[in-house]
Every structure is written in C-alpha cells, then in structure tokens.
Amino acid sequence: MSQIKNLIPTTVNPDLQKERTAATFSVDEFAAWWQGGADKLNTKRVIEQAVFSDLEDGYGINHEYMSHEDLYNSTVKKVAEAAPKLKALQEKLNPGGKDIWPGCLYSVLAHGLFPANHPLATHITMFVDVIKGQGTPEQVEKWGSLAENCNIIGTYAQTELAHGTNVRGIETRADYDPRAGEFVLNTPNLEAYKWWPGGLGHTANHAMVVAQLYIAGKHKGVQMFIVPLRDPETHMPLPGIDIGEIGKKLGMAAVNQGFLGLKNVRIPRTNMLMKYAKVDRDGTFTASPASKVTYLTMVFTRCLIVNLNSTLLLQAATIATRYSAVRRQSPIEPDQPEPQIIDHVTQRLKLFPEIATGMAYHLAAEHMWELYDQTVLDANNGKFDRLPDMHILSCALKVLCTTDGCAGIERLRLSTGGHGYHIAANLSNIYGNAVAAYTYEGENTVLLLQIGRALVKAWASYKQGQTPSSSYAYFESSMRLKEFPKWTGSWQCIVQALQYTAAHKTRIAFENLSERIAAGQSQAVATNNTGIELTRAAELHGRQFVCETFIAQITGPKAQKRSPALNKVLENVVELFLVQTVLNNLNEILRFVNLTDEDLRSLQKRLELSLEKFRPDAVAVCDGFDFHDRVLNSVLGSYDGNVYPRLFDAAKRSTMNQKPVQKSFETYLKPLMKANL
C-alpha cells in the first residue's frame, strides 16, 4: 500500500473539469454512438463495474516488478479468476451469447483485466475461429464447444523460425499414412520449428498446426491440423513434442509465445480440417474449391488487428490529451501565466490528428466486418468471388492502421514529455502491444507487395477491357479524365485526387514492370525491381479506401440519427483527417494533380482551423470513447486528471522503496566510495 495514497484527491482536476464543461456536444450521445447504441454502452459499463470493482490496490502496476515467471503465473491466475465472473455475467446479461464469455478475453475490457496481456488471446481469436470457420460440422461439434469454453486450450501455429509471411515456404510436413489412417507430422530442421504462437509456451495443450501435406510422396499444399501437445491431466509434453517459451519480448509480457518441434507425431485423419480440402481414408485428396478460402482466417484476424490497433491509438490519444489539458508550461505571452500545453498549436498537431486517425480506422474496421460477414455467407453458399478483394482490402487496412497507429502512439508518447517515459504512464505498454501487429499476420512490406501485385493484375485486366471490381472501380473513373479537374478542395475532390493518384501510380508501376519484363527480366525479378513503385501504389490504394469509407460513415443517412451538435464535431474530425492525409501525401499527389500555391496555403489554413475548432471538444471526444481508468491504466490519463499525486503514488510502489538502503550498499557501493582509486 502506498504511503501517500491519501494525497490523491477524490475530486477532478479543475482544468480537466473546465474542458468538460466547455464541450459543445453531449458526451453521452457520442459514447452511445461509438459503442453502437445506448444499450451496448450500458451493458459495457455494467460489465466493467462487475469485473473491475474488486481488483486489489496496485493491480495495474504490481506486475511491472515481478519476475518473468511470476508474471506469467500471476496472469494465468487472473484469467482463471476472471473466467467464472465473465461466465456468470454472460448468463445474466445475454444467455447463450459469446460476447462476454469468452468475448471479453480479447475485447477492450481485457486491457484492464490483464495489464500485461494474457496467453489465451490466440486461442480465442484464432484457434476457435479456425475450427468453426474451416472445420466440418462433425469437427466443430467435437472441438468447437470444448475450445470455446476453454476445456481445451489451443493456439495457431503457422509461423516458423525461418518462415513467416510466406506461408507457402513453411517446412513443417504432414505425411498421410493410409494403412493407419493417420497423419505423421515432422519438423525437418531447426528453421522449421514453429515460433511465436501466443500461449504455445506453457499454456496451450493443442495447436492448429499449419503444414505441407504429402500423400504418397506428392505435395498437396498447405493444410491445417489439430495436434494435441500436452497430457490433459499432467500438462507434460506428449511424445515427439519439443515445446517451450521463446523468452522475453519488447511487449506482450504475459502472452507466453512459444516454439514447437514435432518428431513423428501421429494424429487421426479426422484431425485435418476438412470443410473445404479433404483426405479420404484411402488417401484420395479433394482440393479446396477456392484456393484462397484459407485466407478467411487471416482476413478475420486482420479485421481484429485493425480494431485492436485503432483502439490502442485512441487509448494513447486519450492519455496524452487529458495530460495536455492538465500540464501547464511555457507561457505564450511572456508576462502571462503558464498555459495548458494543449493551447500550444504545435501540441494540438501532435494530438488531434491521432484522434482523427484512430476514429477513421475504427469506422473502416466496422465497415470491414460487414464485408467479412457477407464474404463468409457467400463462401458457405459456394460463392468465392468476394475473397480476393476482401483479402486485399484487409491487407491494406492492416498495413495502414498498424503503421499509422504505431507512429501515432510514439508521437503521443513524445507529446507527454518526460512523464510519458514512465512505465506508469502505460504508453510504453500500449506501444509494445501495438507494434507487434506491424509484423504478425503478414509483415507490412510483404503485404504491400501483395497488394501491389493485385493492383497491376487488376490494371492489366482493365486495360484488356474487363470491368474492374468495385475495389478498383476508380481506375475507370480516373482514366476517363485527360487531366485532373480544377482543384476545389471539397471532400469529394480530395478523395478523387487520392484515387486519381493511386490509379496513375498503379499505371506507372504496371508500365515499368512491363518494360522490365520486355527487357528480359523474369516476372519475379521484374516484380522485385518494381517493389518501391508497387508499395507506394498499394499504400495510396488503401488510403483512398479509408478516406472514402470515413466520409460515408459520418455523412449521409447515418448522420440523421445523430444530433446536429455531434455531427458538427464529427464533420470537423473528417475534415482534419482528409486535409492531413493530403498534406502527408503531397509528394505523390503533386505529380498528377495541379495544386497552386494558393491551394496549398488553403490546405494549411484548413489544417490550422480544424485544430482550432477541435480544441474545445478534444477532452470530451476522448471521454466519448469511454475508456475505463482500468483499461487506460495510466497515471497521466486518469479520468480525474490528478497526474502528479498519481505519479508520486506510482513511484512509491517501486519495490526498491520498501527499504531505505539496498543490500548492495554495504557490499559494493560503500567500499567503492571509500576506496582510494
């Protein structure tokens, strides 16, 4: 217990209260809209009250002073203690649903319940989903309920020590033995060890192993297999299983990522997921009707990543914005008191665009879930034509959200000065959780290259007279123009300029790729040499989609359900995001769109004006995200704004402060100080 806990006021910091009083819209209306309705908002708050109310003092920071092993075991304890609470809440609030249990294990609530993260997230988000999405009805019946209820705990083992994003290059091998009706799984070399799966180290007792299938020595492609790893009673590794944890990482301290090697591990034939591809008892292989159907799992996970990283960005923005309303420094007028640092225009530029960015990606993710649900429905009915576009869009959103989000979180940390460097600010943990997504589920540059290849393929089809799919419809509208129309600066003009630029960047990439092939380079070498152009075209393809989606989500019929006051604030957020997007991509846009000096000056003025308009509502908007203090877990971002007492309280909690003199003094420091060196 901190010795100065009584110094933390029970009142709200007056500067922060002043910000809330000055807001031009209803925070409750914003929060209800953001959560998808007043009922969902109320349910969220009921759940938070139930699970957070009895957490012990220091719950959010004590883990920082634990050993690596103690931290893991403490987190498993927290998961086990939370499970019955969440199950009871599920039965009370939504019987038969999955939104609270196990849904809260990977929702925003989990950020507060498990401040060091936890080892079951991969189990819930991937192992369970893969079974339900790609298993037969019999397999779903056998494994699905057990997995959803955590009676078995799994992970998704795809990445290997030497292979990640290139799934086709993985080396883990599954050979079918028709006499026994079993698959025999092997890790052929050190490089083929599974590496990074969450919970694999000491938590999971099953894994969804992604391996190369061979039947009678013939390769049948990449398939997925449910592999038992540990004895269900003793948890000891089963024969042929070499398993453990990979060690400490930059973040995700309690996720328990692991390694896995397999040596002649036999599993029944029915442990291969066979909703699409199938292996009969006699070894007859039936290929999946759509080669990209296995991408559904990755699409699902990438939608989750966009949800997660946009949320992490907004958490960091909430912390930094509240702190900026409390912190006073550097008089603007020399003879005036120190202002709130949020009054410095340069500080606003660090804060407000990140709020707009987080909101844009959050709403883009909501749109992607709608597309995903329709894609799954189509796939279940044997229609797979949506899959390629869905895959590319999910790649683009994952890349942009993680890239912009990670950069934004770091800018927000820097905006809080030295105090943001303290672990109790929680910005370093937020960054550690966010930045991992830059790499997992497809390294961002590799994904950009995939998008780029899809763009030039779509461009080639378009040039051959085929009508582009909806994702590439802007090719046609852009190329009908001999030159870009006079710049008006409207939102539609901005989106059109981004699409026009993306189309021409794709055209140039296609032309340069074709020239390289004509000059004798192979397709693969030419594609590699065109990589810079492909990735830039890919990024612009994604940015035009996000901008267009953001406008659609804020304006039109949906706006009629919101008050004029809230719409005015949201429209300014869109304005800020669009203008900032143009300014950040001028190097590409100016190549194809003629903007005058007056146009550029106008964009700068619009940026400054949108920052000024956002200033009175910044704290209230962050309040509207409705992050519980346990979720933010930050001495700088607490709702009450009592930054300095909370910082001091956090310092007092350091285990080194539990005794006035450390043991190293007598042993080392005192002799050093008395030595005649």
Side-chain angles (χ1 to χ4, degrees):
M1 179 72 70
S2 170
Q3 298 175 26
I4 64 155
K5 186 172 178 59
N6 60 344
L7 291 183
I8 299 177
T10 57
T11 55
V12 175
N13 178 285
D15 279 332
L16 207 52
Q17 186 56 54
K18 180 189 70 175
E19 297 296 323
R20 291 173 175 137
T21 302
T24 66
F25 67 97
S26 165
V27 173
D28 287 339
E29 182 191 359
F30 184 107
W33 165 71
W34 190 252
Q35 297 297 328
D39 289 344
K40 290 184 178 179
L41 174 64
N42 292 334
T43 300
K44 167 187 169 292
R45 291 175 175 174
V46 167
I47 296 170
E48 289 173 342
Q49 174 63 24
V51 300
F52 291 149
S53 60
D54 61 349
L55 299 185
E56 71 266 16
D57 187 45
Y59 186 92
I61 196 170
N62 290 344
H63 67 276
E64 298 291 356
Y65 299 104
M66 292 181 181
S67 71
H68 184 54
E69 186 174 349
D70 286 345
L71 172 59
Y72 167 75
N73 289 311
S74 170
T75 301
V76 173
K77 176 175 178 282
K78 289 175 180 177
V79 174
E81 290 175 344
K85 287 184 183 179
L86 296 174
K87 288 181 183 179
L89 283 167
Q90 184 72 68
E91 288 305 307
K92 178 181 177 181
L93 300 175
N94 185 19
K98 306 291 183 184
D99 53 321
I100 302 172
W101 174 261
C104 283
L105 289 180
Y106 61 89
S107 72
V108 176
L109 186 90
H111 301 176
L113 268 179
F114 315 112
N117 220 307
H118 69 89
L120 265 67
T122 305
H123 165 71
I124 295 297
T125 59
M126 295 197 70
F127 184 76
V128 172
D129 179 68
V130 171
I131 290 172
K132 293 170 67 177
Q134 301 199 39
T136 63
E138 294 77 15
Q139 289 173 322
V140 173
E141 182 179 0
K142 179 179 180 180
W143 303 100
S145 295
L146 290 172
E148 277 192 319
N149 204 41
C150 294
N151 298 125
I152 61 171
I153 295 174
T155 188
Y156 185 79
Q158 175 174 296
T159 299
E160 296 178 351
L161 189 56
H163 281 94
T165 304
N166 180 23
V167 180
R168 287 180 293 182
I170 65 172
E171 297 181 80
T172 301
R173 180 168 174 142
D175 286 86
Y176 183 61
D177 178 359
R179 290 173 297 180
E182 295 176 333
F183 294 105
V184 185
L185 283 88
N186 277 285
T187 302
N189 50 54
L190 179 67
E191 290 80 3
Y193 262 66
K194 296 299 181 182
W195 195 268
W196 282 116
L200 176 60
H202 299 86
T203 312
N205 59 4
H206 288 73
M208 186 68 66
V209 174
V210 180
Q212 304 285 359
L213 171 62
Y214 285 83
I215 300 176
K218 294 182 179 179
H219 184 228
K220 300 298 181 180
V222 173
Q223 306 297 335
M224 288 181 280
F225 305 85
I226 298 175
V227 181
L229 304 176
R230 293 177 177 271
D231 184 278
E233 292 300 323
T234 67
H235 209 55
M236 287 295 292
L238 295 172
I241 301 291
D242 185 16
I243 194 170
E245 197 214 31
I246 64 171
K248 296 181 75 171
K249 297 87 53 183
L250 185 149
M252 297 186 171
V255 172
N256 193 225
Q257 280 107 335
F259 62 78
L260 173 65
L262 304 161
K263 184 175 182 180
N264 294 325
V265 174
R266 287 180 170 268
I267 59 172
R269 178 182 62 88
T270 52
N271 279 32
M272 175 181 139
L273 294 191
M274 298 196 200
K275 182 176 181 179
Y276 299 109
K278 294 177 174 60
V279 176
D280 294 334
R281 180 65 176 79
D282 63 0
T284 301
F285 177 74
T286 304
S288 168
S291 60
K292 289 186 172 61
V293 76
T294 53
Y295 282 124
L296 272 175
T297 298
M298 287 183 277
V299 169
F300 173 86
T301 309
R302 285 166 189 156
C303 288
L304 284 180
I305 290 170
V306 178
N307 273 137
L308 171 64
N309 274 50
S310 61
T311 298
L312 291 172
L313 176 58
L314 291 174
Q315 287 176 10
T318 298
I319 293 167
T321 300
R322 287 177 176 171
Y323 176 72
S324 297
V326 171
R327 179 77 166 180
R328 288 180 172 271
Q329 193 161 287
S330 303
I332 296 172
E333 292 283 358
D335 57 345
Q336 294 296 311
E338 289 187 308
Q340 297 162 279
I341 61 173
I342 200 171
D343 286 332
H344 291 279
V345 173
T346 49
Q347 184 73 358
R348 296 174 191 174
L349 184 61
K350 297 174 185 177
L351 302 173
F352 302 166
E354 306 308 337
I355 297 173
T357 298
M359 291 179 67
Y361 285 121
H362 170 85
L363 293 175
E366 294 300 303
H367 179 60
M368 284 295 288
W369 282 119
E370 295 172 4
L371 295 178
Y372 174 81
D373 289 342
Q374 185 59 53
T375 303
V376 171
L377 185 63
D378 288 351
N380 288 338
N381 291 321
K383 299 176 182 177
F384 303 99
D385 53 304
R386 286 179 180 265
L387 275 173
D389 277 12
M390 187 67 190
H391 169 61
I392 293 302
L393 285 176
S394 70
C395 288
L397 266 188
K398 186 268 185 184
V399 168
L400 294 181
C401 183
T402 55
T403 300
D404 294 348
C406 293
I409 292 167
E410 176 63 2
R411 275 191 291 271
L412 290 161
R413 184 191 68 80
L414 293 171
S415 79
T416 61
H419 292 324
Y421 192 69
H422 199 290
I423 199 73
N426 203 36
L427 291 167
S428 56
N429 280 326
I430 290 173
Y431 180 79
N433 285 333
V435 76
Y438 192 100
T439 306
Y440 66 64
E441 287 310 307
E443 193 276 334
N444 281 2
T445 301
V446 175
L447 292 185
L448 284 173
L449 288 168
Q450 285 186 24
I451 300 164
R453 290 193 292 271
L455 283 169
V456 295
K457 181 179 179 181
W459 185 267
S461 298
Y462 162 68
K463 294 302 289 182
Q464 292 170 4
Q466 298 179 27
T467 302
S469 65
S470 58
S471 293
Y472 310 108
Y474 66 88
F475 286 177
E476 207 163 33
S477 58
S478 296
M479 299 315 293
R480 281 200 300 264
L481 302 171
K482 291 185 178 180
E483 62 180 26
F484 193 80
K486 179 176 173 58
W487 178 266
T488 66
S490 69
W491 292 356
Q492 186 55 46
C493 174
I494 289 173
V495 171
Q496 188 179 11
L498 289 168
Q499 292 177 338
Y500 188 81
T501 304
H504 279 280
K505 288 293 291 185
T506 301
R507 172 183 59 81
I508 291 171
F510 173 80
E511 290 171 353
N512 289 344
L513 176 66
S514 300
E515 287 177 8
R516 290 180 170 114
I517 293 172
Q521 294 182 15
S522 68
Q523 178 83 30
V525 170
T527 300
N528 179 52
N529 290 334
T530 314
I532 295 173
E533 295 154 292
L534 291 171
T535 56
R536 285 300 291 140
E539 182 183 334
L540 287 162
H541 175 69
R543 294 205 181 281
Q544 63 81 27
F545 172 77
V546 175
C547 288
E548 189 172 45
T549 302
F550 198 14
I551 294 172
Q553 293 289 311
I554 295 300
T555 62
K558 294 184 179 183
Q560 297 174 10
K561 300 179 181 179
R562 301 186 296 261
S563 68
L566 179 53
N567 280 330
K568 185 176 180 181
V569 173
L570 296 178
E571 287 165 6
N572 187 55
V573 175
V574 175
E575 165 77 359
L576 174 57
F577 181 75
L578 293 176
V579 170
Q580 184 80 334
T581 299
V582 172
L583 291 172
N584 287 344
N585 292 277
L586 276 177
N587 61 320
E588 301 290 3
I589 293 171
L590 286 173
R591 185 174 179 182
F592 307 104
V593 179
N594 181 28
L595 276 79
T596 65
D597 181 67
E598 183 180 352
D599 295 329
L600 296 174
R601 288 173 183 266
S602 174
L603 285 167
Q604 179 66 25
K605 289 178 181 177
R606 287 171 66 180
L607 172 66
E608 294 164 358
L609 180 60
S610 63
L611 293 174
E612 182 180 349
K613 285 183 177 180
F614 196 72
R615 165 67 184 86
D617 294 311
V619 168
V621 167
C622 291
D623 287 351
F625 301 136
D626 207 56
F627 293 125
H628 195 282
D629 274 356
R630 287 289 187 184
V631 168
L632 294 179
N633 195 30
S634 172
V635 296
L636 305 187
S638 178
Y639 185 85
D640 63 23
N642 293 313
V643 169
Y644 303 123
R646 290 184 179 278
L647 265 169
F648 205 89
D649 178 70
K652 281 286 190 175
R653 292 180 187 278
S654 170
T655 52
M656 291 187 65
N657 289 328
Q658 306 313 308
K659 46 189 173 183
V661 178
Q662 293 293 314
K663 60 183 180 181
S664 59
F665 174 74
E666 290 290 344
T667 309
Y668 300 110
L669 187 58
K670 185 177 180 179
L672 174 65
M673 295 168 68
K674 292 186 175 296
N676 185 19
L677 300 178

